[in-house]
Amino acid sequence: MAAAIDTHFLGRTGFTPVQFAAGAISLALLIPYSMLLQRWLYGVPARSLHSVAGCFRFGVFGRALLVFGPLVLVAMSVGPMVPDDRIPWSKGDLVAFFVIGMTLIPLAAAGEEYGVRGLMFRVIGSWTRRSMPGAILGIALTTVLFSLFHGTLDPYILGSYLVLFGAMATITWRTGGLEVAVVLHAVYNVSALVLATTLHLDVGGDLGSRGEIVGTPANLVPSVALAIITAGIWWTTRKSGPACTPEISSEQSE
């Protein structure tokens, strides 16, 4: 639909703000879709997809944003320092990309988390009878499948995806909710896309030809930050273990 609007009404082709916004909105819709699908598949409240508390824990979200957000932002700023081809963007497009990036991209990142680390993780985890094998299987499969879905086999870029998605799956399991993963994914995507358009990089070309892009060691810099964050969360939950719902936490501790 966005391409049709660009072609027939705006007379534009290629990567445009309209297509950028449409892609973000379509991913954001994964949030209600995943919650409703979970309700239909498992018969549990849709809100349980947020966290084991049955709600979105804004306190957890806020603390993660304040503590982890700056670290990811700084790490993501290293990649654009590598020389790359520049393309001309109009001032109007740059403003539109900035607004879309700051408002819709966080929702798109959250949509991917609800769809993959939320619904898909739960579906795969239900294939085993015990919680630990289910967690391991869920982390491994969601990480590998979602990484390959991005369409690249370049060792640096694929490696960065494996660390990113593996970290967010592990963090979701340990914290018992999607809040921290949403923060990390949102800051990761927003910083990458807003910086790219600010520096006049070919965002559309990169997104459309991921399989042809040659990565560099700079792609792995954010992976170091994510590994540190994951290790920190694992350390803080080393005694309590993964967060559980009140109904099963006492049973698992016996």
Side-chain angles (χ1 to χ4, degrees), residues 24-174:
I25 292 171
S26 65
L27 289 174
L29 289 175
L30 282 172
I31 298 175
Y33 174 79
S34 299
M35 296 175 75
L36 292 173
L37 190 57
Q38 175 192 251
R39 174 70 178 177
W40 177 66
L41 289 175
Y42 297 104
V44 296
R47 64 180 183 275
S48 69
L49 195 60
H50 295 304
S51 71
V52 294
C55 62
F56 191 86
R57 299 169 298 182
F58 286 98
V60 175
F61 177 86
R63 289 191 293 272
L65 184 61
L66 291 174
V67 177
F68 303 139
L71 178 59
V72 176
L73 178 61
V74 171
M76 289 299 297
S77 300
V78 174
M81 294 182 183
V82 179
D84 201 351
D85 295 334
R86 303 293 195 263
I87 62 173
W89 290 109
S90 69
K91 184 180 294 185
D93 279 352
L94 288 175
V95 171
F97 282 132
F98 176 79
V99 173
I100 295 168
M102 298 302 294
T103 57
L104 296 182
I105 293 305
L107 295 176
E112 291 186 329
E113 289 308 306
Y114 276 78
V116 180
R117 257 68 61 181
L119 180 63
M120 186 184 295
F121 197 165
R122 281 191 158 187
V123 170
I124 295 174
S126 69
W127 294 349
T128 65
R129 294 191 176 187
R130 300 184 61 185
S131 59
M132 183 59 71
I136 295 173
L137 185 63
I139 292 171
L141 278 185
T142 57
T143 298
V144 173
L145 291 176
F146 198 53
S147 297
L148 293 176
F149 179 75
H150 282 70
T152 179
L153 293 178
D154 179 88
Y156 291 115
I157 300 177
L158 180 59
S160 69
Y161 286 146
L162 289 171
V163 173
L164 171 64
F165 302 137
M168 290 190 294
T170 303
I171 289 170
T172 297
W173 169 52
R174 299 298 294 187

